[in-house]
Amino acid sequence: MTLRDFLDRIRTSGRLTVIKEKVNAEYEAPMIAKNTAGPVLFENINGHRAIMNVLGSRDELGAMLNVNRRDIIQSLSGIQPDGEIRMVDSSPTKEVCVDEVDLYSLPIMTHFEKDGGPYITAGIVVSEYDGVTNASIHRLMVVGKNKLAGRLVPPRHTYLLQKEAENNGDPLPVSIVLGAHPAVAFASTTRVGEGKEFNYAAALMGKPVELFECDNGVKVPHSEIVMEGYIYPEERTAEGPFVDITGTYDLVRQEPVITITKIWHRKDPIYHGILPAGPEHLLMMGVPYEPRIYGAVGEVTKVKNVILTEGGCCYLHAIVQIEKQTEGDAKNAIMAAFAAHTSLKHVIVVDEDIDIFDSDDIEFAMATRVKADSDVMIIPGVRGSSLDPRGASDGTTTKMGIDATKVLAEKEKFERATMPKNIY
């Protein structure tokens, strides 16, 4: 299964917007994507095709999993990273080989006014060293015709592999995958066991993921574009500014440089770009944590559903729906949620009669079921998210949990009026 297969599916459903007019990669294409609901396919960005908002809503994510948008977390919670991997000798990715690398010839976009430069935002960086493999999305700033600055976040796997290779005086071989099936991209954002990203993608699709070997020895899945290269020891450059999930600028840091030695691509390839702080960025960052919260809350009470809200950057705010068994369940759920996703800042727990996908219904629960002196938990001085601009310089913050559930002994006071069904 390929990106093109997925695009054909959503085209049939009427969810794909196609822009045939010529569009510029600097600001214009990102602006169109920002103002377009759902996936948008550009037919001509400086002579190239590009797709944005591939997983731009829970509808597309549900389509990828073949489930209703409301059932995504229950589906993800039952999937283990144990799908089949198959090595193959050939790939449609290898239809065209480019030895004279010029990254400026690709539709790599500049998104915001203060961006440090054009950024690859959907590049799955596959790295291998000493028998260990990792695949994860990293932002990659173009700093030369064949060079990228990669933001490697400590202590995540790519960072650790690069440090180990550097300590041994070795270059780290990497291949950057662009335009794989969205299940592969989603899997690369999920915290699974070491080297299990492609197994997880296969489990998500219910089909084996085929891998082929690049010239630098790195094994990658079929995609629209693959860039081969190396991270050489001690080579660093300034990376940033870049807009992160909160819509604010991240810091400028000295980061490793990736030297691209070769590019493979399909004929008329489709470049994949993710709009920083856009819906695809938020969902791919946040949704992988929802099953973890779901599972953790399920250990302390009967959990029904979980959502990380877009207003909370799909990262900082969680709504947890439970079927309350005893008083105190909601507070236990709050603590379990914070433990499962340590970057969470605010958690609201609601009953099963509240629609967690409806912000008005959540506000109703807060208005009618919360008594601030007994239902609000304030937890100061705890580790928060480095992405929260309100966090302290030492990485700590103050977290809040809200119990917006009914008082069990007084359930009749909270009964919501309904109208009879099928009376005519």
Side-chain angles (χ1 to χ4, degrees):
M1 296 178 69
T2 66
L3 173 64
R4 298 187 189 197
D5 296 328
F6 184 78
L7 295 183
D8 286 343
R9 283 183 59 193
I10 59 175
R11 191 194 304 268
T12 302
S13 71
R15 287 282 297 170
L16 182 65
T17 299
V18 179
I19 306 295
K20 294 184 178 295
E21 297 79 17
K22 185 177 181 179
V23 173
N24 200 297
E26 187 176 29
Y27 306 130
E28 187 179 10
M31 191 176 297
I32 292 171
K34 181 179 176 65
N35 294 312
T36 303
V40 54
L41 176 65
F42 298 97
E43 294 284 9
N44 185 0
I45 297 183
N46 305 340
H48 297 270
R49 294 198 293 170
I51 184 74
M52 299 186 77
N53 300 345
V54 176
L55 296 179
S57 77
R58 289 180 186 266
D59 292 312
E60 279 71 54
L61 188 54
M64 183 191 83
L65 296 168
N66 294 310
V67 298
N68 184 280
R69 68 195 304 273
R70 292 174 176 267
D71 300 325
I72 289 171
I73 302 314
Q74 290 87 341
S75 175
L76 288 175
S77 296
I79 297 175
Q80 299 300 316
D82 56 5
E84 183 183 352
I85 301 298
R86 289 181 185 168
M87 291 300 302
V88 296
D89 295 327
S90 61
S91 172
T93 308
K94 287 192 165 185
E95 289 175 339
V96 178
C97 177
V98 180
D99 290 312
E100 295 294 324
V101 175
D102 183 5
L103 296 172
Y104 295 108
S105 68
L106 297 173
I108 302 172
M109 301 172 203
T110 306
H111 306 86
F112 297 97
E113 289 179 336
K114 294 183 181 179
D115 283 359
Y119 264 94
I120 295 173
T121 50
I124 303 168
V125 179
V126 186
S127 51
E128 293 188 20
Y129 187 73
D130 199 21
V132 178
T133 301
N134 182 67
S136 54
I137 291 181
H138 296 269
R139 68 192 197 216
L140 305 166
M141 188 177 81
V142 179
V143 294
K145 288 182 68 174
N146 67 335
K147 289 184 181 292
L148 298 163
R151 169 65 174 137
L152 306 188
V153 180
R156 296 181 184 168
H157 288 157
T158 309
Y159 173 88
L160 294 175
L161 287 176
Q162 191 275 325
K163 291 299 290 183
E164 184 180 356
E166 186 172 62
N167 289 340
N168 292 330
D170 296 330
L172 178 69
V174 300
S175 288
I176 299 164
V177 175
L178 284 159
H181 187 280
V184 175
F186 182 82
S188 73
T189 68
T190 303
R191 302 281 183 89
V192 294
E194 193 174 78
K196 289 291 187 178
E197 291 85 4
F198 298 138
N199 299 89
Y200 186 53
L204 290 172
M205 291 189 289
K207 296 184 178 180
V209 167
E210 294 184 340
L211 304 181
F212 66 95
E213 187 169 339
C214 296
D215 288 355
N216 65 356
V218 177
K219 274 75 76 178
V220 298
H222 305 308
S223 62
E224 295 290 317
I225 302 168
V226 169
M227 303 176 180
E228 294 189 29
Y230 296 88
I231 301 177
Y232 291 100
E234 307 299 337
E235 189 175 3
R236 300 285 191 280
T237 193
E239 183 272 326
F242 178 82
V243 171
D244 222 312
I245 58 169
T246 55
T248 55
Y249 287 96
D250 197 4
L251 302 174
V252 177
R253 301 175 180 86
Q254 291 292 311
E255 293 287 353
V257 172
I258 303 172
T259 300
I260 303 301
T261 55
K262 180 178 292 187
I263 297 176
W264 301 95
H265 65 78
R266 298 190 66 171
K267 294 176 182 176
D268 196 17
I270 304 172
Y271 175 88
H272 180 199
I274 294 175
L275 178 68
E280 185 172 20
H281 187 186
L282 301 186
L283 287 172
M284 291 183 74
M285 280 280 289
V287 170
Y289 286 99
E290 292 176 352
R292 296 178 66 175
I293 298 170
Y294 184 91
V297 175
E299 294 291 323
V300 298
T301 188
K302 191 170 183 179
V303 62
K304 304 297 287 185
N305 213 338
V306 171
I307 185 174
L308 290 165
T309 64
E310 291 189 28
C313 307
C314 284
Y315 205 66
L316 302 175
H317 285 182
I319 312 298
V320 177
Q321 185 188 57
I322 66 171
E323 185 179 326
K324 189 173 176 181
Q325 308 295 306
T326 63
E327 292 301 334
D329 280 359
K331 290 184 174 64
N332 284 339
I334 289 167
M335 292 186 289
F338 282 140
H341 178 28
T342 55
S343 292
L344 271 183
K345 189 175 181 182
H346 301 136
V347 177
I348 302 172
V349 180
V350 298
D351 296 296
E352 67 269 27
D353 66 332
I354 299 297
D355 184 354
I356 66 171
F357 297 94
D358 183 344
S359 58
D360 287 345
D361 222 26
I362 295 165
E363 186 176 0
F364 168 81
M366 293 179 64
T368 62
R369 301 178 184 182
V370 175
K371 189 167 178 283
D373 63 336
S374 58
D375 295 326
V376 177
M377 297 173 61
I378 304 293
I379 311 171
V382 289
R383 177 67 55 186
S385 171
S386 62
L387 301 175
D388 177 11
R390 192 61 181 88
S393 58
D394 64 358
T396 61
T397 190
T398 298
K399 301 190 179 191
M400 179 174 66
I402 299 175
D403 174 359
T405 62
K406 294 175 283 190
V407 178
L408 289 176
E410 302 173 350
K411 287 179 67 173
E412 67 281 353
K413 290 172 56 177
F414 302 95
E415 182 181 358
R416 303 177 75 174
T418 59
M419 289 185 175
K421 298 177 182 178
N422 303 321
I423 62 172
Y424 296 107

